[in-house]
Amino acid sequence: KQSEINVGENSGRLFDALKRFNKKSHFPPIEWLVDLTEQSCADGLYIDTGSHLLRTRKNYMTYVENGIGIFAYNTEKNNTVNMHILKYLVRQQNFKGFVFYSNASKRSFDVLFKDCHEIISKSGPVIYPFVKSLSCYEREEVPKEKQVLGFCSSNFYLKGGLELLSVARLYPNLRFDVVTRISDIDASDLRGIPSNVKLIDFSLSNEEFVGYAKHNWDAYLHPTFFDTLALASLEMIRNGIPVIATDTFALSEYVIPGMTGFLVDNPRNPFDHNYLPKEKGYLGDTIAWLAKRANEPSSNMVSALCSAIEKYYSERLILLEGVREFNKSGNFVREKIQSQWQVILENKTLEA
């Protein structure tokens, strides 16, 4: 976690404006220049979970979501001056190395810094995020009047909500539960909501959400145009629910076709084959552009989702067994993740 500097009200507004300007500029990320780490952080090892290199005296590691996150998600910051500062920060004795959210994040990092051994040498393992599971190895099958598919996102359009509505119109015998911020859906789209779509406001606790999903949903739909790991999809699989998602960033590392779900093409994928942004500049601008463009439904996405849903119901028993097998062992289980972090936290280094 990171905290704000304790400044006066006027200085705080100025600092916020400076941060907004810095995000889109070619200047060094502000966390390279100012210590933003929590003053209350316990002695030992500080784990930054936001892909940041830091100006701090604390011993710390960086948990990398995407390689470009090192440059504050702005390709314009990948320049000669900033690279010199980056190397300086990496050389500091209190910096203990990089750990990665996924193989995709590590790949993007390796490609981005392939010509800089000094940075690559600080590269550590992939440790997947831990997600809670409620008796994930077994899932009670409850008789239902209709087969039900689930969707959940605070950003309805960016995560394929409009495409889901188009699919729902083609399958009136299925029910589609949509957990989202209802107030963010355009009035014209709300008026056209099919009768087999159940809107649920994005206000459930994590336990309520997972419990509801396990009790009601046959599968989870995540037709997203932008994501890095998509923790909700991973959470569904860890709780016994197969997933149909786009092949965006790291989703293919746990949505395994024919085992834990199915993947469909992302027609607006913002990442290249090395998992780095296709467009130059600040990644937040790309996300905003995708969210706006997502108001125009993708016919290719709708067609692919229909095919995947039909395939899911024809192979449902195989997938449920596949999810159970996936959850028994491997890099996503609690014991594996806990042991990986335990080694690092005990040694306070990536070195053996």
Side-chain angles (χ1 to χ4, degrees):
K1 293 182 179 179
Q2 290 187 296
S3 64
E4 302 296 342
I5 294 176
N6 185 18
V7 295
E9 184 177 349
N10 292 333
S11 298
R13 284 198 293 266
L14 180 62
F15 186 66
D16 288 341
L18 177 62
K19 287 194 296 183
R20 288 193 296 272
F21 168 77
N22 181 272
K23 280 182 180 180
K24 299 187 180 185
S25 76
H26 63 274
F27 296 114
I30 201 161
E31 62 269 11
W32 294 9
L33 308 174
V34 181
D35 187 350
L36 298 178
T37 58
E38 291 181 344
Q39 299 304 312
S40 60
C41 181
D43 293 337
L45 185 65
Y46 184 90
I47 307 293
D48 179 87
T49 59
S51 307
H52 304 105
L53 266 292
L54 302 173
R55 173 75 66 176
T56 182
R57 294 181 179 179
K58 296 181 177 72
N59 292 330
Y60 77 100
M61 286 181 181
T62 298
Y63 197 20
V64 181
E65 181 183 24
N66 186 306
I68 199 62
I70 304 299
F71 290 111
Y73 299 95
N74 188 344
T75 62
E76 299 297 330
K77 294 185 186 294
N78 182 9
N79 55 54
T80 303
V81 172
N82 288 346
M83 187 62 77
H84 282 300
I85 300 174
L86 174 57
K87 290 177 182 178
Y88 169 80
L89 292 172
V90 166
R91 283 196 300 267
Q92 299 309 296
Q93 190 173 2
N94 65 316
F95 177 64
K96 303 302 180 181
F98 300 98
V99 181
F100 301 91
Y101 276 76
S102 63
N103 288 320
S105 65
K106 191 172 190 308
R107 170 68 178 172
S108 65
F109 178 92
D110 289 345
V111 171
L112 193 61
F113 299 110
K114 65 181 185 299
D115 297 324
C116 186
H117 174 74
E118 192 171 8
I119 296 174
I120 291 291
S121 65
K122 291 281 191 172
S123 177
V126 171
I127 305 180
Y128 289 105
F130 170 72
V131 296
K132 292 181 180 179
S133 55
L134 307 176
S135 304
C136 66
Y137 304 130
E138 297 297 333
R139 180 177 171 225
E140 182 183 359
E141 290 295 312
V142 180
K144 300 185 293 290
E145 292 181 5
K146 275 192 174 185
Q147 295 168 314
V148 184
L149 298 171
F151 168 95
C152 178
S153 176
S154 60
N155 196 320
F156 179 78
Y157 293 99
L158 182 65
K159 300 307 173 77
L162 209 55
E163 284 70 19
L164 182 139
L165 295 183
S166 296
V167 170
R169 295 184 185 97
L170 299 173
Y171 293 92
N173 293 328
L174 296 178
R175 194 181 88 200
F176 294 79
D177 286 353
V178 175
V179 182
T180 192
R181 289 197 173 97
I182 300 173
S183 59
D184 290 346
I185 302 176
D186 290 345
S188 59
D189 294 323
L190 278 175
R191 287 193 296 270
I193 295 287
S195 60
N196 59 330
V197 171
K198 179 181 179 181
L199 293 178
I200 303 169
D201 197 57
F202 194 81
S203 59
L204 301 176
S205 69
N206 182 260
E207 289 75 16
E208 289 172 334
F209 168 65
V210 173
Y212 181 87
K214 288 191 69 171
H215 185 77
N216 290 279
W217 294 350
D218 299 326
Y220 179 73
L221 303 181
H222 192 66
T224 180
F225 293 109
F226 176 88
D227 248 308
T228 51
L229 195 69
L231 286 177
S233 294
L234 177 56
E235 192 170 41
M236 291 298 98
I237 290 174
R238 291 290 292 141
N239 282 280
I241 302 172
V243 171
I244 297 171
T246 57
D247 56 349
T248 305
F249 207 75
L251 277 136
S252 63
E253 295 177 34
Y254 59 89
V255 181
I256 304 169
M259 182 178 186
T260 61
F262 293 108
L263 291 168
V264 299
D265 288 338
N266 181 350
R268 300 166 187 165
N269 198 331
F271 301 108
D272 64 21
H273 64 283
N274 290 317
Y275 305 105
L276 290 168
K278 292 177 180 177
E279 301 295 328
K280 293 182 178 180
Y282 177 49
L283 188 58
D285 289 339
T286 300
I287 296 171
W289 178 81
L290 283 170
K292 184 176 180 180
R293 190 178 177 191
N295 283 278
E296 308 165 9
S298 166
S299 58
N300 289 339
M301 175 85 83
V302 172
S303 177
L305 284 173
C306 290
S307 297
I309 289 170
E310 291 178 9
K311 196 169 185 181
Y312 164 75
Y313 279 111
S314 68
E315 301 180 20
R316 184 163 184 263
L317 295 179
I318 296 173
L319 289 169
L320 291 175
E321 180 59 31
V323 168
R324 280 192 286 269
E325 289 300 313
F326 177 87
N327 283 325
K328 287 180 181 178
S329 61
N331 294 325
F332 292 93
V333 300
R334 179 191 183 101
E335 294 76 16
K336 173 69 172 180
I337 295 169
Q338 189 171 11
S339 66
Q340 286 179 291
W341 279 118
Q342 188 172 357
V343 170
I344 289 175
L345 294 173
E346 286 179 355
N347 297 330
K348 297 181 176 62
T349 181
L350 293 174
E351 298 175 4

